[in-house]
Amino acid sequence: MRIRAITQRILQQFIHDKRTMALMFIAPLLVLSLMSLVFSSPAYEPKIGVSADTAVFRTALEAQQAEVTGYGDVDSGNAALKAGDIDAFITMKGSTPSVVLEGSNPAANRAVIMALQEAAQSLQPAASGSGSHMPQISYLYGAQDMKTIDRFGPIMIGVFVFFFVFLIAGVSFLRERTTGTLERLLSTPLKRWEIVTGYVCGFGIFTIFQALLISWFSIQVLGIMMNGSFGYVLLMTLLLSMSALTLGTLLSAFAANELQMIQFIPLVIVPQIFLSGLFPLDTLPLWLQRIGLATPIYYGSEALMDIMLRGQGWEDIARDVFMLIGFSLLFMLLNVLALRKHRRM
Amino acid sequence: MNQVKPVIEVTGVDRSFGNKRVLKNITLQVDEAETFGILGPSGSGKTTLIKLLTGIDEATSGEVQLLGVRMPKLKMLQQIGYMAQADALYTELSAKENLEFFASLYGLKGGNRTRRIRDVMELVNLQEHLRKRVDQYSGGMKRRLSLAIALLHEPPLLLLDEPTVGIDPVLRRSIWQELKALNRKGTTIVLTTHVMDEAEKCDRLAMIRDGVLLAVDTPAGLLQATGSATIEEAFLYYGGVRQ
Ligand SMILES: Nc1ncnc2c1ncn2[C@@H]1O[C@H](COP(=O)(O)OP(=O)(O)OP(=O)(O)O)[C@@H](O)[C@H]1O
Ligand SMILES: [Mg+2]
C-alpha cells in the first residue's frame, strides 16, 4: 500500500517532467546512433592457435604481428577458441591451412586475416602465384561482414542504460533530501525499506519501457547483430537498470547537491566503462581486471555480448543474471542502512 | 492541580551537534487537548526540539515520551501530524496528487480519503486550487497546503513548526479558530511561533533561549512573572534585550 503510493508518485512526477522523460528515452538512442556511425577500430595483435601439423605455416605466422600458441590436438584448440582464449585456430587440410575465427570481435577478425595473408605471401614468392597456401576461412560466431558497432553495440546498450538511470534515479532521490520531502516522508510511519523498495518499483516500471525501447531500437533500427533471444536482452537491460538505480540512490546519500552527483560520473561510471570489455582486458594488470569483476556494467555487457553476438542462452548468462540481482540487493540494503543517518528507526 | 495525563513528557533532554550543545537539559510536559506554544529567538533550538518530539531526531541524552511511549518509536508516527518549518512538497505534482500521496502513507483510502482531502483544503481555503501544480502556488499557499497535509489523517497530536508564516491575518484567524476547534475535540497542538498575538492564544507558552528553557507558563502567568504589559515585552525580557 505505502510502497504503491511511492511508486505511483514517482510515475506521476515523470509524467509531469517531460524533459527528464525525454532524456531517459531519447538520449541513449541518439548516442547509440552516433556511435554506430563513427566507430572505428584500433589496431590489435591477434592471438592465433595452431595445431601440431602446421609446422611450416606456423613459422611464417610467427614472423607476423601475432601471438601464436601451439595445441597438441584439434579438440583442445577448439576448446580454447570457444573459451575465447584465442581469436583463431588453424589446422591443416592436406596442404591448405583451414582457419576457424572466433568471430565476435571484428577488429580481431581483421587482424587475424591480415596476419594470415602476409604469412601466406611470405611462403609463396611471387613466381608460383597464389593458390594452395591461401587459407580457407570459417567463423565460429559472427560473420565476415560483422561491423565494429556489432561488437560494441551490446556493451554500449549496457553503458547508456546504466548511465542515464544512475543519474536520474540518483538526482531524484537526492532532491527528496534537499527539498525536505525525505524528512517529511520519515515523519510518517513509512519504514526505511519501504522508501527504497518504492523507488525501485517506481523506477522499475519506467525502466521496463526504457529497456524495451533501447533494445528494439538497437536491433531493429540500427541493425546491430542479434543472434540470441530478445527476451534475454530485455532481461539483462532491465537488471542492469536495477543495479544502476539502486547504486544511484545509494550514492546520492553521499552527495550534497546535484553537482556533486554529477561528480560521481568520472568516479563510478567511467572506470566501469573502461573495465567493461570495451577494450581488451587481458593486457591490464591483474588487480585492475579484478576490479572489473566488481562492477555491474562488466556483467551486463558480458551477458549482452553472449546473447547478441554468440547467440548463447541461459546457462551462459546465469552467472551474470545472479551477479546483477546480487548487486541490486546489496545496494538496496546499504541504502536502507544509509537512511539511518536521517532516522534511526 | 492538573489531572489530565501528559501527552508529551520531555525529561532532561540534551541535543548536541558535534560539540555544540543546541538543547540544554530541557524538561517539560504538554497536556492533552491544549495548545502549547514554543517561543524563542531565531536559532534558539525550537525546530530542534520539535524534531525530537516527532522522533525523526533523537536526543543525545535524556528522554522524550509520547502518550507514555518512549520515542523514537515508529508506530507513534501515525499519531503525529507534522508540519516542517520549510515546506516539503513535491512541486512538480498538483496539490491533489500531493495530498493523495501523503494520505496513502497514513493509510487513508477510498471515500474517506476523498472526504478528508476536501475537508482540509476547505479549512485552509484552497479548495479552488486543488488541481493546480504546486510550483504555481504562492509562498502562503504552499504553507497552507503543508498545514492541510499535517491535518489530513486527523492525528491526536499536531506538531507545527511556524505554521502561519506568510499567511494573511484574515486566514490566520480562521485557521486559529479551526485549531481551537480541534483542541475542543481533544487534539493536542504544539507549535512554534514568532507572532505575538498568536502566542497569546496558546494555553501555555515555553520560552526558550540558546537551548535553555527559561519559563513555562500561561500567557497571563508570564506577563505577571516578568511584570510586562504584553507578550512581546515578556519575549524581549526573556530574550535578554530588556532586563
Ligand atoms: N543539523 C545540524 N547540525 C548542526 N547544527 C545544527 C543543526 N540543526 C540545527 N543546528 C543548530 O542548532 C541551533 C538551533 O537551531 P534551530 O533550527 O532549532 O533554531 P530555531 O529556534 O528553530 O530557529 P528559527 O526561529 O530561525 O527557525 C542553531 O544554532 C543551528 O545552527
Ligand atoms: Mg526553526
Side-chain angles (χ1 to χ4, degrees), chain B residues 15-18 20-23 38 40-51 57 85 161-162 192-194 208 211:
Chain B
R15 179 68 173 104
S16 308
F17 294 106
K20 186 168 188 281
R21 253 176 103 202
V22 170
L23 290 180
I38 301 173
S42 181
S44 56
K46 301 182 295 295
T47 299
T48 310
L49 180 57
I50 292 268
K51 279 192 195 166
D57 198 10
Q85 183 169 5
D161 200 351
E162 303 194 14
T192 69
T193 182
H194 285 301
I208 177 169

Side-chain angles (χ1 to χ4, degrees), chain A residues 9 16 176 183 189 344, chain B residues 51 58 74 78 82 90 97:
Chain A
R9 195 209 79 218
H16 287 301
E176 291 267 11
E183 186 191 281
R344 286 266 310 278
Chain B
K51 279 192 195 166
E58 213 174 338
L74 193 66
Q78 183 73 29
Y82 170 54
Y90 297 98
E97 286 165 338

Side-chain angles (χ1 to χ4, degrees), chain B residues 64-91:
Chain B
V64 176
Q65 286 204 2
L66 234 69
L67 302 160
V69 179
R70 181 166 182 178
M71 295 295 279
K73 185 93 192 149
L74 193 66
K75 73 166 205 282
M76 293 310 290
L77 297 186
Q78 183 73 29
Q79 313 293 317
I80 300 172
Y82 170 54
M83 177 176 174
Q85 183 169 5
D87 296 307
L89 301 163
Y90 297 98
T91 51

